[in-house]
Amino acid sequence: MKRNLYVLMSLVVLASMVLAACGGAAPATEQPPAITEPSGATEEPAATEPPAATEPPAPAGSGTVTITFTQEPDNLNPMYTEMFFSGILREFWLKPVWTFNANAEPVPVLAAEIPSLENGGLNEDGTTVTIRLRDDITWSDGEPLTSADFVFTYDMIMSDQNVPLSRFPYEEFVASVEAPDATTVVVNFNEPFAAWLTTLFYFVLPQHVLQPVFESEGTIDTAEWNRTPTVGVGPFVFSEWETGSHIAFTANPNWVEPAKIEQVFIRIVPDDAAQEAAIIAGDTDIGVFLSSDQIPTLEAGGDVEVVAVASGYSEGWFMNVNPETAHPAMLDVNVRKAIALATDRFTIVSDLLDDSVNPVNANFWDNNPPYGNTDIEPYPYDPDEAQRLLDEAGWVDSNGDGTRDKDGVELVLRYITNDRELRKNMQAVVQQQWSLVGIGAEVVNYSSDVYWNGYNDNGPQAQGLYDIAQYSSVSTSFPDPESSDNWSCDTISSADNPDGANWQGYCDPEMDELLNQQATTLDLDARLELYKQIQQKMYDEVIYIGIWKDPDLWSVNARVSNVQLGGVYPFWNSHEWEVAQ
């Protein structure tokens, strides 16, 4: 039984590229090509399109891999979702320009190579990345994938007529995306940008499918393709989505590396118990988003292995500090600290999970070495100190109802999460613990297809309809730590800024300056020091409270072979999966 099978994530390649961009490597031997077409141009790239494949499509593989989801995706277009259960599907049908393997090493997919100083893909001051595309990649309908698709993707993300969940990093750091020819994409930055490797073009949109929609409707926000993307680029192609039941993908005969199986079938089940029953019965091949307390039960039969993969995720509380939407007590740092001290996270984790797999975490980057600040310890459990801080802040039980109040306002906080059973169980325990120090909890659960919605889709977090939100999160650029859009003043979500990713309403000019510095710092040691300061500030101001480190736990049935689960892209090698018949 493998109870702590962590895949150690190597950042050597990532770090070496960062250092290379800083001038640590030999000068480039080949200069990036001249730019002849700016972003947004209406003309096609100057060079002729890559030739269509002349060989007949390879035959489809055989067998079906069944995967269970306890949460149904809210959207399939990456512009409109940051949901884990949607994101992990993209390796089947919408490949990134480069993927990351099980060791977190970049592997070119749509690109012919990873840009570097040596191959001319990076300029010496780190302000230009040139991506040279393979000339044998086609969309699933046979249409060639070209640089025009990349320019179109950038234009759709940046268009004011669309409302993506985030425009990061393009709005903040990218000056232009250009297509000098059909197989070359040039990205120009306003200044050096450290996280380009993990943020650029992790998805590409099909221009020939979506541009007509944009021209006729003025937006792609409501495009049918967003939920039924029958044209994609990858080893599989979307075939069916029956709400509340399943999502299916079939082998793409036009993909350059034909899949060895015929179909991937996503079965949507109502809860963790239903998934566990399906795994034990052999009705599913891969179980997703498991909890560590399930490991002994799942592995008992001998046909299932549970694999833990370090993916940067940590479960935590995100504190609403927006003066427009938060409970007034949440604007006081001492109250926020009292909330942390009043919560015995150590006992909760020990009782609900296997704390050898899920230890209590101290900060947002705890599970993302080498960027975590190891000098910071988790807030301790100290209810006496919590009560002292609340008294000092003026929150006392003046009416004897058992809940503290101030200026006629009861200290009852909206504590929200999704409908995952584990989180519901924690809410119940926390509600009891808080009551011991006079804090009330209004416990609210949202379905997963609502919980992570953006502002215009009435997302409860985006609209600030909470005081404490719980979920498992990772930096938006993992394995790079870059996540500035979650904490910056100018990304606060609002009616005027509906695509803002800062749902907490946190704004601090000093933090903005630190975030801006790390984003443009290419020296690894200097960047690590900046992240220590960022995390210390977050800890001191109690805008994030860690609960547990949350490696991805997967179950894999023995009948499926060649599954190499990754921490960045879990299903990166799905074309190599095989099923015993």
Side-chain angles (χ1 to χ4, degrees):
M1 183 183 299
K2 297 184 179 179
R3 302 186 59 82
N4 280 316
L5 182 57
Y6 286 88
V7 175
L8 300 177
M9 306 197 67
S10 170
L11 296 178
V12 174
V13 173
L14 191 60
S16 66
M17 289 186 173
V18 170
L19 294 173
C22 192
T29 56
E30 180 182 351
Q31 295 299 318
I35 297 168
T36 59
E37 181 185 64
S39 168
T42 56
E43 296 181 1
E44 291 296 309
T48 58
E49 300 292 338
T54 57
E55 296 182 2
S62 60
T64 295
V65 169
T66 299
I67 304 173
T68 43
F69 274 19
T70 55
Q71 299 175 30
E72 185 160 11
D74 52 356
N75 203 305
L76 292 182
N77 185 337
M79 277 180 57
Y80 303 106
T81 180
E82 292 180 352
M83 188 179 180
F84 171 82
F85 285 85
S86 176
I88 62 176
L89 293 177
R90 290 198 292 271
E91 279 292 304
F92 297 133
W93 69 278
L94 196 65
K95 281 284 190 179
V97 65
W98 40 74
T99 190
F100 286 82
N101 64 20
N103 295 317
E105 299 163 336
V107 178
V109 180
L110 309 181
E113 58 191 359
I114 304 296
S116 67
L117 276 172
E118 290 80 2
N119 62 30
L122 295 180
N123 68 343
E124 292 191 17
D125 67 1
T127 58
T128 299
V129 173
T130 300
I131 304 169
R132 295 181 176 86
L133 303 176
R134 292 177 56 162
D135 62 5
D136 57 350
I137 302 288
T138 69
W139 293 94
S140 57
D141 60 358
E143 186 76 14
L145 178 136
T146 74
S147 55
D149 293 302
F150 289 75
V151 172
F152 175 76
T153 300
Y154 171 73
D155 288 342
M156 290 299 95
I157 293 171
M158 295 302 299
S159 171
D160 291 339
Q161 294 170 264
N162 300 320
V163 186
L165 279 187
S166 174
R167 292 190 167 93
F168 182 84
Y170 303 99
E171 185 172 45
E172 295 86 347
F173 298 104
V174 175
S176 64
V177 176
E178 301 163 343
D181 59 58
T183 58
T184 305
V185 180
V186 178
V187 182
N188 297 299
F189 298 109
N190 298 311
E191 52 189 334
F193 177 52
W196 64 267
L197 185 64
T198 57
T199 56
L200 288 182
F201 295 113
Y202 62 88
F203 68 91
V204 183
L205 303 175
Q207 181 186 33
H208 66 290
V209 173
L210 290 175
Q211 184 164 324
V213 176
F214 185 73
E215 291 173 350
S216 64
E217 299 182 13
T219 182
I220 64 169
D221 288 356
T222 56
E224 183 179 354
W225 187 88
N226 296 343
R227 284 187 63 89
T228 56
T230 52
V231 174
V233 59
F236 300 89
V237 61
F238 170 89
S239 59
E240 185 178 39
W241 184 352
E242 184 175 324
T243 301
S245 174
H246 64 269
I247 303 173
F249 300 87
T250 54
N252 174 12
N254 289 322
W255 184 240
V256 291
E257 298 180 85
K260 295 181 179 180
I261 57 173
E262 184 177 3
Q263 181 180 231
V264 175
F265 187 84
I266 310 297
R267 177 180 288 118
I268 300 166
V269 297
D271 50 38
D272 294 340
Q275 175 172 232
E276 183 174 296
I279 295 170
I280 293 171
D283 293 334
T284 189
D285 298 305
I286 297 178
V288 179
F289 208 55
L290 305 170
S291 59
S292 56
D293 61 312
Q294 296 176 288
I295 297 175
T297 302
L298 295 177
E299 292 189 334
D303 294 328
V304 172
E305 178 184 11
V306 176
V307 181
V309 181
S311 57
Y313 277 88
S314 285
E315 187 89 1
W317 282 348
F318 294 81
M319 316 295 273
N320 184 359
V321 293
N322 190 330
E324 301 296 323
T325 61
H327 190 289
M330 294 297 292
L331 307 182
D332 188 328
V333 65
N334 283 331
V335 173
R336 299 196 299 271
K337 187 172 184 179
I339 292 168
L341 299 175
T343 310
D344 187 358
R345 302 181 317 287
F346 305 92
T347 298
I348 290 172
V349 171
S350 177
D351 289 348
L352 295 181
L353 296 164
D354 180 338
D355 54 8
S356 69
V357 177
N358 300 110
V360 174
N361 65 306
N363 60 68
F364 185 75
W365 288 275
D366 244 15
N367 216 14
N368 188 5
Y371 297 100
N373 186 345
T374 56
D375 295 333
I376 295 177
E377 296 290 336
Y379 303 104
Y381 176 53
D382 190 342
D384 291 338
E385 178 64 8
Q387 295 195 73
R388 189 192 69 79
L389 289 172
L390 292 170
D391 288 341
E392 188 177 279
W395 292 92
V396 297
D397 183 9
S398 65
N399 54 20
D401 66 353
T403 302
R404 294 171 181 266
D405 57 87
K406 181 180 181 180
D407 299 330
V409 178
E410 293 287 315
L411 185 53
V412 178
L413 305 177
R414 296 164 296 174
Y415 173 16
I416 72 171
T417 188
N418 68 339
D419 50 10
R420 190 182 185 197
E421 197 65 29
L422 176 63
R423 292 175 179 145
K424 289 182 180 180
N425 292 339
M426 179 168 174
Q427 283 179 315
V429 176
V430 168
Q431 191 173 41
Q432 293 177 337
Q433 292 182 353
W434 285 0
S435 69
L436 300 177
V437 299
I439 300 174
E442 178 189 349
V443 171
V444 183
N445 298 100
Y446 292 89
S447 63
S448 296
D449 59 347
V450 171
Y451 188 54
W452 284 282
N453 278 354
Y455 191 94
N456 282 352
D457 292 323
N458 300 312
Q461 295 181 74
Q463 293 203 351
L465 305 178
Y466 75 100
D467 297 305
I468 296 175
Q470 177 176 335
Y471 56 95
S472 184
S473 187
V474 66
S475 64
T476 52
S477 309
F478 183 79
D480 189 274
E482 171 59 57
S483 199
S484 299
D485 54 334
N486 293 133
W487 316 99
S488 300
C489 293
D490 59 2
T491 61
I492 294 174
S493 180
S494 67
D496 295 329
N497 190 28
D499 61 333
N502 180 351
W503 292 348
Q504 297 177 250
Y506 175 72
C507 179
D508 185 289
E510 183 181 335
M511 177 67 87
D512 275 8
E513 178 60 28
L514 288 170
L515 292 171
N516 289 336
Q517 286 183 44
Q518 69 78 28
T520 59
T521 297
L522 302 183
D523 178 80
L524 182 59
D525 289 337
R527 198 166 179 229
L528 288 172
E529 179 58 35
L530 287 167
Y531 266 97
K532 289 184 69 173
Q533 297 178 48
I534 289 168
Q535 288 165 83
Q536 188 65 56
K537 186 172 182 62
M538 290 175 64
Y539 182 86
D540 292 342
E541 297 184 7
V542 201
I543 59 173
Y544 173 86
I545 298 175
I547 303 176
W548 63 72
K549 294 183 181 180
D550 198 22
D552 290 340
L553 294 179
W554 310 85
S555 69
V556 182
N557 192 287
R559 82 184 197 101
V560 183
S561 58
N562 298 331
V563 177
Q564 298 180 36
L565 296 163
V568 186
Y569 294 115
F571 303 147
W572 70 279
N573 81 322
S574 59
H575 61 285
E576 298 176 329
W577 295 355
E578 295 185 77
V579 178
Q581 299 300 309

